[in-house]
Each structure stands twice: as C-alpha cells, then as structure tokens.
Amino acid sequence: MQRSNPTVNRASWLAVLMTLSPVSTTAGHFKFFHIDWARCLTDPHYLRWLAAFSWGSVVGGASLGKRQKEQLEFTKWAVEEQLRFIDEERIECGVNPRGAVHIEYSGKKYDARARHPVVADDDDEGSQAAPPPKKGNSPYTAGKLSYEPEERMDAADLVAANPLVKTWSGHVSGGKFETEGHSGDCERFSHRLAEVCRARHGVGIKTHTKIQQLVTTPDGDGRRRVSEIVTDAARVQIPPDTEVVVAAGSWTAPLMATAGYYVPLYPMKGYCVVMDLPPEGHPERPREDLIPTRTLIDKYIYVTRMGEQVRVASMGEFAGWSTHPDPVVNDVFRIESALHLAPLAELFHRTPTRCGLRPYVADGLLMAGRVDNAANLSVNVGPGFNGWKVAHGAGHVLASAIAGEGADAYGFDPAAFSPSPRVKECRFWNAICAW
C-alpha cells in the first residue's frame, strides 16, 4: 500500500512485448510476464488493448505525463484516506505498517536455482558497498513516481533486520527501505467493508448473481440510458433518476461491451499463496526470526506479512478472464516462491495457489466518472496495480463527480481520471467480441 505508481512508458511497453518472445523460462531465468497465445491473439479485447497500450507507451506525450503526476497526487491522498478509514472503522485486514524492503544484489543478476547462499560480508571480494543511508521524499527521483520516504540499508543491516533473507540465494549488496509503506489483505478488507455497508447504510448486496447484460435505450436528448440490468436470476428495471456505476474490476470491459461501449483494459492475472501461520507455541510454527515482519521484494517476488498470515505473490499473465492457475505458469511461480520461503516450506507446499485479475488500463490511469453520451452510466476501474489501496479515494472522487461537486477540495485534478475519451461508444463491439 505504497504511495507510488508504476507508469506506462516505453520500458513497460517493452516488458509486456517480451511476453510475445518465444524464449521459454529456463533455469536461472525467471519471467514475470506470460501470455496465452491462442487466447489473446484471437481476442478482440486484447488486440485493441495492446494497440492502445502501445500508442500510449510510445507516443504518450506531455498530456499523459501530466495525468500521471495528477494520479500520483491522488494516490498519496487516497492511501492516507484508506488507512484513516480502516483505523476509524476498526477494520481488521492484516494491515502491516512496517515498510517494504527492495533487495539488491551485487554483480550479475543471481541464478536462483543455483542455490548459492546469501553473503552479507562487505569485505568479501565482489561485494558492493552500499551508499550511506539517506531519507528522501521527492516524488520524481530515479524516474519513479513515488512519495515513499526511503533509506539505504547495507547488506549486514538488511540481513540482520530481515533474517529470512539469509535463506535466499544470491549475493546481497544492500537494499532500499521504504520506511512508511503499508500492506494489507484486500479480501478481508472487502468482506468487512461489505458488513459496514449493510449494517450502517442499508446497502443490499446480491451475491452468486451473474450480470449478463446492461440494456440501454435512447434518452431523447441524443444520449443513452441504462434502463435494465439482466442477471441470471432476474431483470432489474432501473428508474430514470438512478445512476448505474460499473465497478467490476477486470470484468468491467466485457460488461460494458454488452451496452455497446469499449473500455481500454485487459486483465493481467496475478498468482499468490496466502499461508495461515500456526498459533504461537505450535510445533509447526516456523521460528519467529524467520517469519518476515515486513514486505520483502526481490524484483518480481513479493513476500508480505499480514498479521498471522504470510503471502507470496508474483506473475503477470495475459490469458483472458480465467482465474484458474495455468499449470506451466504456476510451476514457475511456485518454484521461484519456494526458494524465498524455505523456513515455511511445509506451510507453502500444502497451501494452494490463488489467482486474481488486475484490471490493467491501457494508459495506466484510473477511470472514474460519467461515460460520454450516457445519461446514467459511470465507471470506476483501474489502474491495474493500485486497485484496492486507492479504493476509498476512487469512490470519493466518483461520488463527487456524480453529485456535480467541485474539485477544489482536492490537491489534484479529478478530471485526469475521466473515462472521456478513453471509453468509447461502439454499438457493434459486443457482437465483435462474441464472434
């Protein structure tokens, strides 16, 4: 839950295009991105998303850069709002305020499968002396959009503070410690939030219900209005003065297609294993010093402590809307993850992999607001990596926009997140995708 944003640029474009490389994952070469060729290259959603992603990444321009900075200001505010809300409502979701450490290695990127032990001796030949510790709060240093204060850690201090790293392979030279970073469990947060909404605000939530179509009709002034929502259980009539907000994550794109709108996002599947720690004193509980106390980041592997749970997460797979782990990708993920969780090996091996979909918006920016030429249809989705940590803020911005309230109260411009002109009316888009 860091106050930072990945950005869409030429580097991210090249990284995603590497998924199209025929080079397979081999020993010592861990690939974060994967693609289901047959599914994606025959999917109109993916092909159109890739074209928009490529255009924004390569061409971009000053307008995209300005909106990325607006999103950073929004993210800073939204994370603080989220943490305040969690604290005020006493929502138990494993929030960990102990920061995040990015592990760095000396020399060539290590071969995880070679199983070389970690060396934390600064006098050893080949090690690199880390720069002196420093604190910073500039959002645009080192080409990264971030407001997280950072400190440098040398190898000895890093390993002493995070003993789990001793079991990793490679020659640790130090790390970057984001001292105020938070982490938490979005699933527990969502369930508790639903309870608050039901109990305090009388919100009705229909579960185990599949939405099949948004039916739109002409509004008489050149716009279209959502008049009906078709589900597998009933047809829900929408009163004229009722706003329909599509906040369906990655499923926003196919759902909006049923109403004749194209949304420039595509799901990027992530893989994780969430382990419940045995109670203190239990013979199967790992040694306390080898249980991580904060988030440890080894380039593409994230090991996170969330209360009495430990989570390891990684991977970015383009494979449509399937939430099932691909056997080949899952093997890659679990082999690499196991190398970072040796003291928790028994817990890890008996815990199954879970997958979730990141709604990757083509330009990497949140979409929150009213759709063009629609009388009562809004979206709240994206940007792809930062979803739940900005959820409270995104809802606040959207509610203000629907109510017609001014943007003066914010330290950023909410117009930067308007769906216009990114969400486009395309009456035949649903038929194209269905075909």
Side-chain angles (χ1 to χ4, degrees):
M1 208 187 294
Q2 284 90 352
R3 294 161 295 186
S4 60
N5 290 322
T7 56
V8 166
N9 51 33
R10 289 183 178 87
S12 59
W13 176 68
L14 289 172
V16 171
L17 288 188
M18 285 299 292
T19 65
L20 302 178
S21 169
V23 178
S24 61
T25 300
T26 57
H29 179 66
F30 173 71
K31 284 178 63 175
F32 175 80
F33 289 110
H34 293 260
I35 186 171
D36 182 329
W37 283 68
R39 185 186 298 268
C40 289
L41 297 184
T42 57
D43 185 348
H45 277 290
Y46 177 79
L47 297 176
R48 191 167 178 178
W49 172 87
L50 183 61
F53 175 66
S54 299
W55 175 263
S57 302
V58 176
V59 178
S63 174
L64 178 60
K66 181 180 183 300
R67 288 187 295 139
Q68 287 173 341
K69 292 180 179 180
E70 295 289 350
Q71 179 160 281
L72 178 64
E73 301 300 325
F74 160 74
T75 300
K76 178 178 180 293
W77 169 80
V79 168
E80 292 166 356
E81 283 290 299
Q82 184 91 331
L83 292 172
R84 180 189 60 77
F85 177 74
I86 289 172
D87 182 62
E88 288 182 355
E89 298 294 335
R90 299 182 179 179
I91 294 178
E92 173 49 51
C93 56
V95 170
N96 185 338
R98 302 192 64 179
V101 178
H102 298 256
I103 312 299
E104 297 172 358
Y105 296 86
S106 61
K108 186 178 179 181
K109 177 72 178 84
Y110 76 104
D111 178 347
R113 292 158 182 81
R115 301 305 297 149
H116 297 307
V118 166
V119 179
D121 182 359
D122 289 339
D123 296 326
D124 184 69
E125 183 178 356
S127 68
Q128 297 178 349
K134 63 179 180 181
K135 295 183 178 180
N137 201 30
S138 171
Y140 309 120
T141 57
K144 180 183 178 183
L145 299 183
S146 176
Y147 266 116
E148 288 301 322
E150 299 175 0
E151 293 182 1
R152 294 292 310 174
M153 298 184 75
D154 63 25
D157 289 343
L158 189 153
V159 173
N162 306 280
L164 177 63
V165 177
K166 291 180 183 178
T167 67
W168 295 6
S169 28
H171 191 116
V172 173
S173 62
K176 181 180 67 176
F177 180 24
E178 294 179 340
T179 57
E180 297 180 8
H182 288 64
S183 60
D185 184 348
C186 61
E187 182 179 18
R188 279 187 275 170
F189 171 80
S190 299
H191 283 291
R192 178 65 183 123
L193 178 61
E195 294 173 2
V196 171
C197 290
R198 286 188 178 110
R200 188 169 303 172
H201 303 290
V203 174
I205 302 175
K206 293 186 178 297
T207 59
H208 306 290
T209 302
K210 182 179 180 180
I211 298 177
Q212 298 174 332
Q213 185 182 2
L214 300 178
V215 179
T216 63
T217 55
D219 194 45
D221 59 357
R223 299 185 299 171
R224 300 190 68 82
R225 174 181 298 278
V226 178
S227 57
E228 190 177 33
I229 299 176
V230 181
T231 77
D232 58 355
R235 301 178 75 95
V236 181
Q237 302 300 314
I238 306 300
D241 59 348
T242 299
E243 188 78 13
V244 175
V245 178
V246 180
S250 292
W251 282 270
T252 298
L255 185 55
M256 290 288 287
T258 69
Y261 290 94
Y262 165 70
V263 179
L265 71 81
Y266 198 77
M268 184 169 67
K269 187 192 301 183
Y271 287 60
C272 73
V273 172
V274 181
M275 295 158 281
D276 293 315
L277 293 170
E280 291 185 13
H282 193 283
E284 293 186 0
R285 187 178 178 92
R287 279 172 38 192
E288 292 298 326
D289 63 322
L290 294 178
I291 301 174
T293 58
R294 57 176 55 85
T295 299
L296 302 175
I297 303 170
D298 186 3
K299 195 171 177 64
Y300 296 129
I301 296 289
Y302 291 71
V303 180
T304 305
R305 176 71 174 271
M306 303 181 301
E308 286 300 286
Q309 290 182 323
V310 174
R311 178 184 64 199
V312 57
S314 189
M315 314 308 284
E317 182 189 7
F318 297 99
W321 281 263
S322 169
T323 57
H324 298 290
D326 175 88
V328 174
V329 178
N330 191 37
D331 282 347
V332 173
F333 165 66
R334 292 191 72 96
I335 289 171
E336 192 74 16
S337 298
L339 298 176
H340 294 76
L341 295 168
L344 289 77
E346 291 187 16
L347 282 175
F348 175 75
H349 290 304
R350 67 172 181 246
T351 306
T353 300
R354 301 168 63 184
C355 292
L357 304 181
R358 310 176 185 95
Y360 199 159
V361 179
D363 61 6
L365 298 172
L366 172 73
M367 288 191 288
R370 175 73 60 77
V371 173
D372 278 351
N373 299 319
N376 67 334
L377 179 60
S378 296
V379 297
N380 182 1
V381 66
F385 288 92
N386 294 344
W388 91 278
K389 74 180 184 183
V390 299
H392 189 77
H396 196 292
V397 167
L398 178 61
S400 295
I402 293 173
E405 298 174 356
D408 298 339
Y410 301 113
F412 52 86
D413 182 6
F417 316 125
S418 171
S420 176
R422 294 176 289 172
V423 175
K424 301 181 184 298
E425 189 172 9
C426 181
R427 304 306 305 164
F428 301 105
W429 182 242
N430 190 40
I432 294 171
C433 294
W435 180 84

Short mmCIF file of all heavy atoms in Angstrom, two decimals, residues 300-352:
data_model
loop_
_atom_site.label_atom_id
_atom_site.label_comp_id
_atom_site.label_asym_id
_atom_site.label_seq_id
_atom_site.Cartn_x
_atom_site.Cartn_y
_atom_site.Cartn_z
N TYR A 300 10.62 -9.34 -8.71
CA TYR A 300 9.25 -9.69 -9.06
C TYR A 300 8.56 -10.58 -8.03
O TYR A 300 7.41 -10.98 -8.22
CB TYR A 300 9.22 -10.40 -10.42
CG TYR A 300 9.67 -9.56 -11.58
CD1 TYR A 300 10.65 -10.01 -12.46
CD2 TYR A 300 9.12 -8.30 -11.80
CE1 TYR A 300 11.06 -9.24 -13.54
CE2 TYR A 300 9.53 -7.51 -12.87
CZ TYR A 300 10.50 -7.99 -13.74
OH TYR A 300 10.90 -7.23 -14.80
N ILE A 301 9.25 -10.93 -6.96
CA ILE A 301 8.66 -11.76 -5.91
C ILE A 301 8.40 -10.88 -4.69
O ILE A 301 9.30 -10.19 -4.20
CB ILE A 301 9.60 -12.92 -5.52
CG1 ILE A 301 9.79 -13.87 -6.71
CG2 ILE A 301 9.05 -13.67 -4.32
CD1 ILE A 301 8.58 -14.70 -7.05
N TYR A 302 7.16 -10.92 -4.19
CA TYR A 302 6.75 -10.11 -3.05
C TYR A 302 6.37 -11.04 -1.90
O TYR A 302 5.42 -11.82 -2.02
CB TYR A 302 5.56 -9.23 -3.41
CG TYR A 302 5.87 -8.13 -4.39
CD1 TYR A 302 6.14 -8.41 -5.73
CD2 TYR A 302 5.90 -6.80 -3.99
CE1 TYR A 302 6.43 -7.40 -6.64
CE2 TYR A 302 6.18 -5.78 -4.89
CZ TYR A 302 6.45 -6.10 -6.21
OH TYR A 302 6.73 -5.09 -7.11
N VAL A 303 7.10 -10.97 -0.80
CA VAL A 303 6.79 -11.74 0.39
C VAL A 303 6.29 -10.76 1.45
O VAL A 303 7.02 -9.81 1.80
CB VAL A 303 8.02 -12.51 0.91
CG1 VAL A 303 7.67 -13.30 2.17
CG2 VAL A 303 8.56 -13.44 -0.17
N THR A 304 5.08 -10.97 1.94
CA THR A 304 4.43 -9.97 2.79
C THR A 304 3.87 -10.62 4.05
O THR A 304 3.28 -11.70 3.99
CB THR A 304 3.27 -9.30 2.02
OG1 THR A 304 3.76 -8.76 0.80
CG2 THR A 304 2.65 -8.18 2.85
N ARG A 305 4.05 -9.94 5.18
CA ARG A 305 3.44 -10.36 6.44
C ARG A 305 2.15 -9.56 6.63
O ARG A 305 2.15 -8.32 6.57
CB ARG A 305 4.41 -10.08 7.59
CG ARG A 305 3.85 -10.39 8.98
CD ARG A 305 3.70 -11.88 9.22
NE ARG A 305 3.29 -12.19 10.58
CZ ARG A 305 4.13 -12.38 11.60
NH1 ARG A 305 5.44 -12.29 11.39
NH2 ARG A 305 3.68 -12.68 12.79
N MET A 306 1.04 -10.28 6.88
CA MET A 306 -0.25 -9.64 7.13
C MET A 306 -0.85 -10.27 8.39
O MET A 306 -1.57 -11.26 8.32
CB MET A 306 -1.18 -9.84 5.94
CG MET A 306 -0.62 -9.34 4.62
SD MET A 306 -1.77 -9.58 3.23
CE MET A 306 -1.98 -11.37 3.26
N GLY A 307 -0.51 -9.72 9.53
CA GLY A 307 -0.98 -10.30 10.78
C GLY A 307 -0.45 -11.70 10.95
O GLY A 307 0.77 -11.94 10.91
N GLU A 308 -1.32 -12.68 11.10
CA GLU A 308 -0.93 -14.07 11.25
C GLU A 308 -0.99 -14.82 9.92
O GLU A 308 -1.25 -16.01 9.88
CB GLU A 308 -1.80 -14.75 12.30
CG GLU A 308 -1.46 -14.34 13.72
CD GLU A 308 0.00 -14.67 14.08
OE1 GLU A 308 0.29 -15.86 14.28
OE2 GLU A 308 0.81 -13.73 14.16
N GLN A 309 -0.75 -14.08 8.86
CA GLN A 309 -0.64 -14.66 7.53
C GLN A 309 0.64 -14.18 6.86
O GLN A 309 1.12 -13.08 7.14
CB GLN A 309 -1.83 -14.27 6.65
CG GLN A 309 -3.16 -14.91 7.03
CD GLN A 309 -4.27 -14.50 6.08
OE1 GLN A 309 -4.33 -13.37 5.60
NE2 GLN A 309 -5.17 -15.44 5.79
N VAL A 310 1.17 -15.03 5.97
CA VAL A 310 2.30 -14.65 5.12
C VAL A 310 1.86 -14.91 3.69
O VAL A 310 1.33 -15.98 3.36
CB VAL A 310 3.56 -15.46 5.44
CG1 VAL A 310 4.67 -15.14 4.43
CG2 VAL A 310 4.04 -15.17 6.85
N ARG A 311 2.06 -13.91 2.83
CA ARG A 311 1.67 -14.04 1.43
C ARG A 311 2.89 -13.90 0.54
O ARG A 311 3.75 -13.03 0.77
CB ARG A 311 0.65 -12.96 1.07
CG ARG A 311 0.21 -13.00 -0.41
CD ARG A 311 -0.71 -11.84 -0.73
NE ARG A 311 -0.04 -10.56 -0.58
CZ ARG A 311 -0.66 -9.40 -0.44
NH1 ARG A 311 -1.96 -9.36 -0.38
NH2 ARG A 311 0.02 -8.28 -0.31
N VAL A 312 2.96 -14.73 -0.49
CA VAL A 312 3.95 -14.55 -1.54
C VAL A 312 3.18 -14.37 -2.84
O VAL A 312 2.21 -15.08 -3.10
CB VAL A 312 4.93 -15.75 -1.63
CG1 VAL A 312 4.21 -17.06 -1.88
CG2 VAL A 312 5.98 -15.50 -2.72
N ALA A 313 3.57 -13.36 -3.62
CA ALA A 313 2.82 -13.03 -4.83
C ALA A 313 3.77 -12.64 -5.94
O ALA A 313 4.87 -12.13 -5.71
CB ALA A 313 1.84 -11.88 -4.55
N SER A 314 3.31 -12.87 -7.18
CA SER A 314 4.10 -12.52 -8.35
C SER A 314 3.27 -12.77 -9.61
O SER A 314 2.07 -13.02 -9.53
CB SER A 314 5.41 -13.34 -8.40
OG SER A 314 6.26 -12.84 -9.42
N MET A 315 3.91 -12.68 -10.73
CA MET A 315 3.44 -13.03 -12.06
C MET A 315 2.49 -11.99 -12.65
O MET A 315 1.72 -11.34 -11.94
CB MET A 315 2.76 -14.40 -12.11
CG MET A 315 3.51 -15.50 -11.37
SD MET A 315 5.27 -15.65 -11.85
CE MET A 315 5.12 -16.46 -13.43
N GLY A 316 2.57 -11.85 -13.96
CA GLY A 316 1.65 -11.05 -14.74
C GLY A 316 1.32 -11.83 -16.00
O GLY A 316 2.13 -11.89 -16.92
N GLU A 317 0.16 -12.47 -16.01
CA GLU A 317 -0.20 -13.35 -17.12
C GLU A 317 -1.40 -12.78 -17.87
O GLU A 317 -2.40 -12.40 -17.28
CB GLU A 317 -0.55 -14.75 -16.60
CG GLU A 317 -0.91 -15.73 -17.71
CD GLU A 317 -1.46 -17.04 -17.19
OE1 GLU A 317 -1.70 -17.16 -15.97
OE2 GLU A 317 -1.67 -17.95 -18.01
N PHE A 318 -1.26 -12.72 -19.20
CA PHE A 318 -2.36 -12.32 -20.06
C PHE A 318 -3.01 -13.58 -20.60
O PHE A 318 -2.41 -14.28 -21.42
CB PHE A 318 -1.86 -11.42 -21.19
CG PHE A 318 -1.28 -10.12 -20.70
CD1 PHE A 318 0.09 -9.95 -20.58
CD2 PHE A 318 -2.10 -9.07 -20.34
CE1 PHE A 318 0.63 -8.77 -20.12
CE2 PHE A 318 -1.58 -7.87 -19.88
CZ PHE A 318 -0.20 -7.72 -19.76
N ALA A 319 -4.21 -13.88 -20.13
CA ALA A 319 -4.87 -15.14 -20.51
C ALA A 319 -6.38 -15.00 -20.43
O ALA A 319 -7.07 -15.91 -19.99
CB ALA A 319 -4.39 -16.27 -19.60
N GLY A 320 -6.89 -13.85 -20.81
CA GLY A 320 -8.33 -13.63 -20.74
C GLY A 320 -8.82 -13.50 -19.31
O GLY A 320 -8.09 -13.03 -18.43
N TRP A 321 -10.06 -13.93 -19.08
CA TRP A 321 -10.70 -13.71 -17.79
C TRP A 321 -10.71 -14.97 -16.90
O TRP A 321 -11.46 -15.04 -15.94
CB TRP A 321 -12.12 -13.19 -18.01
CG TRP A 321 -12.14 -11.73 -18.33
CD1 TRP A 321 -12.35 -10.71 -17.45
CD2 TRP A 321 -11.89 -11.10 -19.58
NE1 TRP A 321 -12.25 -9.49 -18.07
CE2 TRP A 321 -11.97 -9.70 -19.40
CE3 TRP A 321 -11.61 -11.58 -20.86
CZ2 TRP A 321 -11.80 -8.80 -20.43
CZ3 TRP A 321 -11.41 -10.68 -21.90
CH2 TRP A 321 -11.51 -9.30 -21.67
N SER A 322 -9.86 -15.90 -17.20
CA SER A 322 -9.77 -17.10 -16.36
C SER A 322 -9.03 -16.78 -15.07
O SER A 322 -7.98 -16.14 -15.08
CB SER A 322 -9.02 -18.21 -17.09
OG SER A 322 -8.71 -19.28 -16.20
N THR A 323 -9.60 -17.23 -13.95
CA THR A 323 -8.93 -17.04 -12.65
C THR A 323 -8.29 -18.34 -12.16
O THR A 323 -7.89 -18.42 -11.00
CB THR A 323 -9.93 -16.54 -11.60
OG1 THR A 323 -11.02 -17.45 -11.50
CG2 THR A 323 -10.46 -15.16 -11.97
N HIS A 324 -8.20 -19.32 -13.03
CA HIS A 324 -7.55 -20.57 -12.65
C HIS A 324 -6.06 -20.50 -12.98
O HIS A 324 -5.67 -19.96 -14.03
CB HIS A 324 -8.18 -21.75 -13.39
CG HIS A 324 -9.64 -21.95 -13.08
ND1 HIS A 324 -10.07 -22.39 -11.85
CD2 HIS A 324 -10.75 -21.75 -13.83
CE1 HIS A 324 -11.39 -22.47 -11.85
NE2 HIS A 324 -11.83 -22.07 -13.04
N PRO A 325 -5.19 -21.03 -12.13
CA PRO A 325 -3.77 -21.01 -12.44
C PRO A 325 -3.43 -21.89 -13.63
O PRO A 325 -3.94 -23.01 -13.74
CB PRO A 325 -3.10 -21.53 -11.15
CG PRO A 325 -4.19 -22.06 -10.28
CD PRO A 325 -5.50 -21.64 -10.83
N ASP A 326 -2.65 -21.35 -14.53
CA ASP A 326 -2.13 -22.15 -15.64
C ASP A 326 -1.06 -23.09 -15.08
O ASP A 326 -0.17 -22.64 -14.34
CB ASP A 326 -1.52 -21.23 -16.71
CG ASP A 326 -0.87 -22.01 -17.82
OD1 ASP A 326 -1.57 -22.35 -18.78
OD2 ASP A 326 0.35 -22.28 -17.73
N PRO A 327 -1.10 -24.39 -15.39
CA PRO A 327 -0.15 -25.34 -14.79
C PRO A 327 1.32 -24.97 -15.01
O PRO A 327 2.13 -25.07 -14.09
CB PRO A 327 -0.50 -26.67 -15.46
CG PRO A 327 -1.93 -26.52 -15.87
CD PRO A 327 -2.10 -25.08 -16.24
N VAL A 328 1.67 -24.53 -16.22
CA VAL A 328 3.07 -24.20 -16.51
C VAL A 328 3.49 -22.95 -15.75
O VAL A 328 4.55 -22.90 -15.11
CB VAL A 328 3.27 -24.02 -18.03
CG1 VAL A 328 4.70 -23.52 -18.31
CG2 VAL A 328 3.01 -25.33 -18.76
N VAL A 329 2.65 -21.90 -15.83
CA VAL A 329 2.97 -20.66 -15.14
C VAL A 329 3.00 -20.89 -13.62
O VAL A 329 3.86 -20.35 -12.91
CB VAL A 329 1.97 -19.56 -15.50
CG1 VAL A 329 2.26 -18.27 -14.74
CG2 VAL A 329 1.98 -19.30 -17.01
N ASN A 330 2.08 -21.68 -13.13
CA ASN A 330 2.03 -21.96 -11.69
C ASN A 330 3.29 -22.68 -11.23
O ASN A 330 3.81 -22.42 -10.14
CB ASN A 330 0.79 -22.79 -11.36
CG ASN A 330 0.53 -22.89 -9.87
OD1 ASN A 330 0.75 -21.93 -9.14
ND2 ASN A 330 0.09 -24.04 -9.42
N ASP A 331 3.81 -23.61 -12.04
CA ASP A 331 5.05 -24.30 -11.68
C ASP A 331 6.20 -23.30 -11.56
O ASP A 331 7.00 -23.35 -10.63
CB ASP A 331 5.40 -25.37 -12.72
CG ASP A 331 4.56 -26.63 -12.56
OD1 ASP A 331 3.90 -26.76 -11.51
OD2 ASP A 331 4.56 -27.46 -13.48
N VAL A 332 6.28 -22.37 -12.53
CA VAL A 332 7.33 -21.35 -12.49
C VAL A 332 7.20 -20.51 -11.22
O VAL A 332 8.18 -20.25 -10.51
CB VAL A 332 7.25 -20.44 -13.74
CG1 VAL A 332 8.23 -19.28 -13.62
CG2 VAL A 332 7.53 -21.25 -14.99
N PHE A 333 5.97 -20.10 -10.93
CA PHE A 333 5.72 -19.27 -9.75
C PHE A 333 6.07 -20.00 -8.47
O PHE A 333 6.74 -19.46 -7.58
CB PHE A 333 4.24 -18.85 -9.74
CG PHE A 333 3.76 -18.31 -8.43
CD1 PHE A 333 4.25 -17.12 -7.93
CD2 PHE A 333 2.82 -19.00 -7.68
CE1 PHE A 333 3.81 -16.61 -6.71
CE2 PHE A 333 2.36 -18.51 -6.47
CZ PHE A 333 2.87 -17.32 -5.98
N ARG A 334 5.64 -21.24 -8.34
CA ARG A 334 5.84 -21.96 -7.08
C ARG A 334 7.31 -22.35 -6.88
O ARG A 334 7.81 -22.34 -5.74
CB ARG A 334 4.94 -23.19 -7.02
CG ARG A 334 3.45 -22.82 -6.92
CD ARG A 334 2.60 -24.03 -6.60
NE ARG A 334 2.79 -24.47 -5.22
CZ ARG A 334 2.02 -24.12 -4.20
NH1 ARG A 334 0.99 -23.29 -4.38
NH2 ARG A 334 2.25 -24.58 -2.99
N ILE A 335 8.01 -22.68 -7.95
CA ILE A 335 9.45 -22.99 -7.82
C ILE A 335 10.20 -21.77 -7.32
O ILE A 335 10.99 -21.84 -6.37
CB ILE A 335 10.02 -23.48 -9.16
CG1 ILE A 335 9.50 -24.88 -9.49
CG2 ILE A 335 11.56 -23.48 -9.12
CD1 ILE A 335 9.85 -25.35 -10.89
N GLU A 336 9.93 -20.62 -7.93
CA GLU A 336 10.63 -19.40 -7.53
C GLU A 336 10.23 -18.98 -6.12
O GLU A 336 11.06 -18.56 -5.33
CB GLU A 336 10.33 -18.29 -8.53
CG GLU A 336 11.21 -17.06 -8.39
CD GLU A 336 12.63 -17.28 -8.89
OE1 GLU A 336 12.85 -18.27 -9.62
OE2 GLU A 336 13.50 -16.47 -8.55
N SER A 337 8.93 -19.07 -5.82
CA SER A 337 8.46 -18.67 -4.50
C SER A 337 9.04 -19.55 -3.40
O SER A 337 9.40 -19.07 -2.32
CB SER A 337 6.93 -18.73 -4.45
OG SER A 337 6.36 -17.83 -5.38
N ALA A 338 9.13 -20.85 -3.66
CA ALA A 338 9.65 -21.78 -2.65
C ALA A 338 11.08 -21.43 -2.26
O ALA A 338 11.49 -21.63 -1.10
CB ALA A 338 9.58 -23.21 -3.17
N LEU A 339 11.84 -20.90 -3.20
CA LEU A 339 13.22 -20.53 -2.91
C LEU A 339 13.31 -19.34 -1.96
O LEU A 339 14.36 -19.09 -1.38
CB LEU A 339 13.96 -20.19 -4.21
CG LEU A 339 14.07 -21.34 -5.22
CD1 LEU A 339 14.74 -20.85 -6.49
CD2 LEU A 339 14.82 -22.51 -4.63
N HIS A 340 12.21 -18.62 -1.80
CA HIS A 340 12.17 -17.48 -0.89
C HIS A 340 11.47 -17.80 0.42
O HIS A 340 11.33 -16.92 1.28
CB HIS A 340 11.45 -16.30 -1.56
CG HIS A 340 12.18 -15.73 -2.75
ND1 HIS A 340 12.20 -16.35 -3.97
CD2 HIS A 340 12.93 -14.61 -2.88
CE1 HIS A 340 12.91 -15.63 -4.82
NE2 HIS A 340 13.37 -14.57 -4.18
N LEU A 341 11.02 -19.04 0.57
CA LEU A 341 10.23 -19.40 1.75
C LEU A 341 10.69 -20.72 2.37
O LEU A 341 9.88 -21.49 2.89
CB LEU A 341 8.74 -19.51 1.37
CG LEU A 341 8.06 -18.22 0.93
CD1 LEU A 341 6.70 -18.53 0.30
CD2 LEU A 341 7.89 -17.26 2.09
N ALA A 342 11.99 -20.97 2.35
CA ALA A 342 12.49 -22.25 2.85
C ALA A 342 12.05 -22.55 4.28
O ALA A 342 11.63 -23.67 4.57
CB ALA A 342 14.02 -22.28 2.73
N PRO A 343 12.09 -21.59 5.22
CA PRO A 343 11.66 -21.91 6.59
C PRO A 343 10.15 -22.18 6.70
O PRO A 343 9.70 -22.72 7.71
CB PRO A 343 12.03 -20.64 7.38
CG PRO A 343 13.06 -19.95 6.55
CD PRO A 343 12.66 -20.23 5.14
N LEU A 344 9.38 -21.78 5.69
CA LEU A 344 7.94 -22.00 5.70
C LEU A 344 7.54 -23.05 4.68
O LEU A 344 6.41 -23.09 4.20
CB LEU A 344 7.19 -20.69 5.40
CG LEU A 344 7.19 -19.60 6.48
CD1 LEU A 344 8.52 -18.86 6.52
CD2 LEU A 344 6.06 -18.62 6.25
N ALA A 345 8.49 -23.94 4.34
CA ALA A 345 8.28 -24.87 3.23
C ALA A 345 7.05 -25.76 3.42
O ALA A 345 6.26 -25.96 2.49
CB ALA A 345 9.53 -25.73 3.05
N GLU A 346 6.86 -26.29 4.62
CA GLU A 346 5.72 -27.18 4.85
C GLU A 346 4.40 -26.44 4.66
O GLU A 346 3.47 -26.95 4.03
CB GLU A 346 5.80 -27.80 6.24
CG GLU A 346 6.94 -28.80 6.41
CD GLU A 346 6.86 -29.51 7.75
OE1 GLU A 346 5.78 -29.45 8.39
OE2 GLU A 346 7.86 -30.12 8.15
N LEU A 347 4.32 -25.24 5.21
CA LEU A 347 3.11 -24.44 5.03
C LEU A 347 2.88 -24.13 3.56
O LEU A 347 1.76 -24.23 3.05
CB LEU A 347 3.22 -23.14 5.82
CG LEU A 347 3.00 -23.17 7.33
CD1 LEU A 347 3.28 -21.80 7.91
CD2 LEU A 347 1.58 -23.61 7.64
N PHE A 348 3.94 -23.75 2.88
CA PHE A 348 3.83 -23.34 1.48
C PHE A 348 3.35 -24.50 0.61
O PHE A 348 2.44 -24.33 -0.20
CB PHE A 348 5.19 -22.82 0.98
CG PHE A 348 5.21 -22.48 -0.48
CD1 PHE A 348 4.60 -21.33 -0.93
CD2 PHE A 348 5.81 -23.33 -1.40
CE1 PHE A 348 4.61 -21.00 -2.29
CE2 PHE A 348 5.82 -23.02 -2.75
CZ PHE A 348 5.22 -21.85 -3.19
N HIS A 349 3.94 -25.66 0.77
CA HIS A 349 3.64 -26.77 -0.13
C HIS A 349 2.23 -27.32 0.06
O HIS A 349 1.69 -27.95 -0.86
CB HIS A 349 4.68 -27.87 0.03
CG HIS A 349 6.02 -27.50 -0.50
ND1 HIS A 349 6.21 -27.08 -1.80
CD2 HIS A 349 7.25 -27.46 0.09
CE1 HIS A 349 7.49 -26.81 -2.01
NE2 HIS A 349 8.14 -27.02 -0.87
N ARG A 350 1.62 -27.10 1.20
CA ARG A 350 0.25 -27.60 1.38
C ARG A 350 -0.80 -26.51 1.18
O ARG A 350 -1.99 -26.75 1.39
CB ARG A 350 0.10 -28.24 2.76
CG ARG A 350 0.20 -27.32 3.95
CD ARG A 350 -0.17 -28.09 5.21
NE ARG A 350 -0.11 -27.27 6.40
CZ ARG A 350 0.75 -27.44 7.39
NH1 ARG A 350 1.65 -28.43 7.33
NH2 ARG A 350 0.72 -26.66 8.46
N THR A 351 -0.36 -25.32 0.78
CA THR A 351 -1.30 -24.23 0.53
C THR A 351 -1.44 -24.02 -0.98
O THR A 351 -0.43 -23.82 -1.66
CB THR A 351 -0.83 -22.92 1.18
OG1 THR A 351 -0.59 -23.16 2.58
CG2 THR A 351 -1.88 -21.83 1.03
N PRO A 352 -2.65 -24.07 -1.51
CA PRO A 352 -2.81 -23.94 -2.96
C PRO A 352 -2.59 -22.52 -3.46
O PRO A 352 -2.67 -21.55 -2.70
CB PRO A 352 -4.27 -24.37 -3.18
CG PRO A 352 -4.95 -24.05 -1.89
CD PRO A 352 -3.93 -24.29 -0.81
#
